[in-house]
Amino acid sequence: MSIFDNPVARIQQFIDIGGPVVVLLLALSVIAVSVMLFKLWQFRSLKLGTEKGLHDMVSLAVRLKRLHADRESSRSDIEDVLAVAANTQIKSLQRGFRVLDTIAQISPLIGLFGTVLGMITAFQALQQSGNSVDPSILAGGIWVALLTTAVGLAVAMPTSILLTYFESRVERHQLAIETAATRILNPVAQAALDGQREPERKAGIWPVPADAA
């Protein structure tokens, strides 16, 4: 019977066989899926990776530049304000990453712990059988023990893959913020980087609003 034929019955069977270890792993999987769905919603709502996703930071940089247009000494102050605003947004985007990282790391260990416990139980049953050794006792115990490792890996692998994906998107967004802010605040850097405008447009960094120039 495939898990897709009757998922609820199959999961209940896994719980009956794997015991508390499988229950714990399933609870971790629910937490991981919840965090992943939230991050996907958050990234989509902020339009990460698009021009609109940079709008707030670009608008803030433009307003600060205009506000302090006649004050050369304020350049460092503008950069400090932008750095705080960008760091606040990046921290918000990274919220939940530590939870996903922890689940990705400990799930295989919990599964391995369940395997060790299952092997201990299997060999105890084998020892208690005395001279009438039944290989099926050991084989059955081993399959039950390996189930927890399989569940642990099934939780850890997709969690790790999606965490890497989320981290790469946040890193690209942070780079886009830094590049856009540099273009707005530093005319020399803006002229030097003009030749890279086409690749950045494809990456979603450009164009910035017309009033940002």
Side-chain angles (χ1 to χ4, degrees):
M1 180 178 64
S2 170
I3 188 173
F4 300 107
D5 295 336
N6 192 339
V8 176
R10 195 62 169 171
I11 291 173
Q12 183 60 51
Q13 182 182 9
F14 286 165
I15 293 175
D16 293 339
I17 295 173
V21 173
V22 170
V23 172
L24 177 57
L25 289 171
L26 290 177
L28 291 177
S29 72
V30 171
I31 296 173
V33 169
S34 300
V35 174
M36 289 180 215
L37 291 176
F38 171 74
K39 300 311 294 184
L40 289 171
W41 171 83
Q42 184 185 35
F43 288 4
R44 182 177 178 84
S45 65
L46 292 175
K47 295 180 172 57
L48 229 62
T50 68
E51 177 190 349
K52 292 182 179 179
L54 289 175
H55 181 268
D56 290 344
M57 289 300 152
V58 170
S59 297
L60 176 60
V62 172
R63 290 197 303 270
L64 290 173
K65 182 181 179 181
R66 289 173 179 171
L67 183 63
H68 300 282
D70 299 326
R71 298 170 53 195
E72 290 294 331
S73 61
S74 68
R75 168 63 186 267
S76 61
D77 296 334
I78 295 175
E79 291 177 343
D80 289 343
V81 173
L82 285 175
V84 171
N87 186 62
T88 300
Q89 187 180 80
I90 295 300
K91 290 295 184 184
S92 173
L93 292 172
Q94 292 175 333
R95 191 172 297 121
F97 284 5
R98 184 167 296 182
V99 174
L100 294 178
D101 182 58
T102 300
I103 292 175
Q105 291 190 39
I106 68 171
S107 293
L109 298 178
I110 294 174
L112 181 61
F113 177 67
T115 297
V116 172
L117 293 179
M119 293 294 291
I120 291 174
T121 301
F123 280 107
Q124 283 180 335
L126 191 63
Q127 181 184 27
Q128 292 172 0
S129 64
N131 294 329
S132 57
V133 177
D134 185 357
S136 63
I137 297 177
L138 184 59
I142 292 175
W143 116 257
V144 170
L146 292 178
L147 173 65
T148 58
T149 295
V151 175
L153 292 174
V155 173
M157 289 187 292
T159 302
S160 180
I161 291 171
L162 277 176
L163 175 60
T164 301
Y165 168 71
F166 291 150
E167 288 175 337
S168 66
R169 290 196 64 180
V170 172
E171 288 175 3
R172 290 198 301 269
H173 181 68
Q174 185 173 13
L175 177 61
I177 291 175
E178 293 171 356
T179 303
T182 299
R183 285 184 179 277
I184 294 169
L185 298 179
N186 192 334
V188 176
Q190 179 173 349
L193 292 172
D194 276 343
Q196 301 176 6
R197 185 167 296 183
E198 183 60 27
E200 290 179 0
R201 184 181 291 110
K202 294 178 180 179
I205 297 174
W206 273 89
V208 297
D211 63 353

